[in-house]
């Protein structure tokens, strides 16, 4: 009798699981259909479709967070009400997801404002970049490690704290977050209406921040993903393409693209030996080539595609390199100063254009 009862309970449990899965699939399908209808309605009604795009760049993302904080104060609006789409790679994805994540039990109010993201960079950087023990090998008197520099546990803990169990499709705005599939080196775009839109934001962020040599790839549904910055550190063009794909007229699309700082690298000697040892010992230079070449190309193409009043690109230039994982207080203070100085320079030398941007975001 007891055996029969247990079997009956197991069958009931299995049926319940199947029922719940069907309900979830139906819900996701309904959300996708509703999103498509909403896109079509908005594309016909709205005068402007505003896109925010934020580059990857590790701790340097604090500059973008500060610029957005100033924008929120100047316009008296939240970013999720100013922008209909947010795109971000790596650290930019943290900003995009953070500003688009809904407050619990709310369909319109964001969980965080920009001041909380600035605080995240100021106080939790060391909790994200948690070093782990690595096997180190000596080669020609050089210390070389062949494993990732940081443990993934630190950043997962941070993401779980801030983003809890929120899924991608729940974001307040359209969202575009790239990550590279390791199996075929294909850049997957995580979006609200895409195939993986039920993915928790925690997993999306774990994937797009899995920077090679810094963190190990993130496994999602049996597939390894690495940092979207490998192929798409500046996701602006991908976001623009998605907006067109959603049906918005090109003349109605407006883009604010935020960089995370750059510097002019000293040229290598003509007779430099670009061998394996060089690549191993010039890690930062290689990362710069990977990230910067793509972001500059995207900026060029966007400048060609859009007119001056519809495309804004903010990028600060450093006197020397600032590493993606430099979380020291003096470095953070320097980054904050650079961000505020950049804004002051825009007010001084490009005030008319800056005011047009603020007015646009305040009322549209």
């Amino acid at each position: 009798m007891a055996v029969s009862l247990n079997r009956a309970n197991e069958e009931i449990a299995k049926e319940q699981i199947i029922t719940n899965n069907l309900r979830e699939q139906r819900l996701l399908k309904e959300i996708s259909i509703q999103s498509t209808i909403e896109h079509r309605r908005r594309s016909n009604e709205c005068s402007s479709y505003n896109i925010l795009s934020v580059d990857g760049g590790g701790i340097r993302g604090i500059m973008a967070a500060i610029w957005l904080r100033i924008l929120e104060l100047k316009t008296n609006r939240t970013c999720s009400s100013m922008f209909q789409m947010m795109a971000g790679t790596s650290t930019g994805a943290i900003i995009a997801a953070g500003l688009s994540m809904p407050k619990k039990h709310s369909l319109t109010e964001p969980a965080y404002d920009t001041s909380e993201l600035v605080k995240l960079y100021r106080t939790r950087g060391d909790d994200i970049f948690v070093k782990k023990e690595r096997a180190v090998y000596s080669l020609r008197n050089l210390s070389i490690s062949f494993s990732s520099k940081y443990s993934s546990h630190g950043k997962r803990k941070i993401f779980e704290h801030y983003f809890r169990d929120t899924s991608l499709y729940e974001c307040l705005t359209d969202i575009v977050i790239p990550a590279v599939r390791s199996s075929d080196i294909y850049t997957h775009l995580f979006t609200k209406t895409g195939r993986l839109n039920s993915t928790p934001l925690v997993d999306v962020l774990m994937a797009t921040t899995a920077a090679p040599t810094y963190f190990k790839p993130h496994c999602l549904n049996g597939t390894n993903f690495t940092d979207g910055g490998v192929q798409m550190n500046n996701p602006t063009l991908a976001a623009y393409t998605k907006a067109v794909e959603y049906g918005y007229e090109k003349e109605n699309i407006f883009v604010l693209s935020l960089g995370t700082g750059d510097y002019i690298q000293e040229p290598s000697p003509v007779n430099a030996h670009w061998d394996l040892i060089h690549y191993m010992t010039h890690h930062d230079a290689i990362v710069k080539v990977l990230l910067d070449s793509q972001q500059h190309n995207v900026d060029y193409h966007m400048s060609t595609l859009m007119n001056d009043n519809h495309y804004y690109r903010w990028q600060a230039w450093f006197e020397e390199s600032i590493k993606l994982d430099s979380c020291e207080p003096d470095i953070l203070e320097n980054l904050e100063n650079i961000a505020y100085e950049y804004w002051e320079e825009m007010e001084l030398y490009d005030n008319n254009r800056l005011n047009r941007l603020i007015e646009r975001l305040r009322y549209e």
Side-chain angles (χ1 to χ4, degrees), residues 129-135 144-152 155 182 209-218 225-227 230 279-288 290-291 323-325:
F129 296 107
V130 179
K131 288 188 176 181
K132 66 177 184 179
E133 293 185 5
R134 303 193 295 171
I144 300 172
S145 174
F146 293 98
S147 64
S148 57
K149 186 176 182 180
Y150 298 106
S151 166
S152 297
K155 64 172 182 170
S182 301
T209 58
T213 75
Y214 289 92
F215 297 101
K216 69 178 183 179
H218 180 64
F225 286 89
T226 56
D227 195 314
V230 172
Y279 284 102
M280 287 181 171
T281 56
H282 291 76
H283 171 264
D284 293 333
I286 304 307
V287 170
K288 177 174 171 57
L290 286 173
L291 301 187
K323 296 181 180 180
L324 311 182
D325 54 348

Side-chain angles (χ1 to χ4, degrees), residues 17 29 35 59 61 71 93 115 129 133 143 155 159 171 175 204 224 235 248 258 262 286 349:
I17 291 172
K29 187 174 182 180
S35 296
I59 199 66
L71 268 183
S115 65
F129 296 107
E133 293 185 5
S143 295
K155 64 172 182 170
F159 295 158
C171 288
I175 202 100
V204 174
N224 280 336
Y248 296 96
L258 305 182
D262 200 355
I286 304 307
Y349 298 109

Side-chain angles (χ1 to χ4, degrees), residues 176-193:
V176 176
I177 296 176
V180 179
R181 284 201 311 242
S182 301
S183 57
D184 53 5
I185 319 300
Y186 171 82
T187 300
H188 176 82
L189 298 179
F190 288 95
T191 65
K192 278 182 68 170
T193 58

Side-chain angles (χ1 to χ4, degrees), residues 108-155:
T108 58
E109 193 174 354
Y112 306 108
D113 64 20
T114 46
S115 65
E116 291 167 292
L117 292 181
V118 172
K119 183 180 178 181
L120 166 64
Y121 283 100
R122 283 176 180 162
T123 62
R124 305 303 297 272
D126 286 332
D127 296 328
I128 292 177
F129 296 107
V130 179
K131 288 188 176 181
K132 66 177 184 179
E133 293 185 5
R134 303 193 295 171
V136 178
Y137 302 89
S138 294
L139 184 62
R140 295 189 191 177
N141 297 321
L142 299 173
S143 295
I144 300 172
S145 174
F146 293 98
S147 64
S148 57
K149 186 176 182 180
Y150 298 106
S151 166
S152 297
H153 297 303
K155 64 172 182 170

Side-chain angles (χ1 to χ4, degrees), residues 245-299:
E245 181 184 308
Y246 290 157
Y248 296 96
E249 297 294 333
K250 295 180 180 180
E251 58 268 23
N252 291 336
I253 297 174
F254 169 81
V255 176
L256 173 60
S257 175
L258 305 182
T260 56
D262 200 355
Y263 74 101
I264 298 176
Q265 185 174 307
E266 289 292 331
S268 299
V270 176
N271 60 347
H273 295 288
W274 292 82
D275 53 14
L276 179 61
I277 301 299
H278 176 86
Y279 284 102
M280 287 181 171
T281 56
H282 291 76
H283 171 264
D284 293 333
I286 304 307
V287 170
K288 177 174 171 57
V289 170
L290 286 173
L291 301 187
D292 290 358
S293 57
Q294 185 271 345
Q295 70 182 24
H296 295 317
N297 287 337
V298 168
D299 182 34

Side-chain angles (χ1 to χ4, degrees), residues 27-40:
L27 176 62
L28 292 176
K29 187 174 182 180
E30 289 174 356
I31 290 172
S32 179
I33 293 172
Q34 289 170 1
S35 296
T36 302
I37 294 172
E38 179 67 11
H39 277 306
R40 289 173 180 169

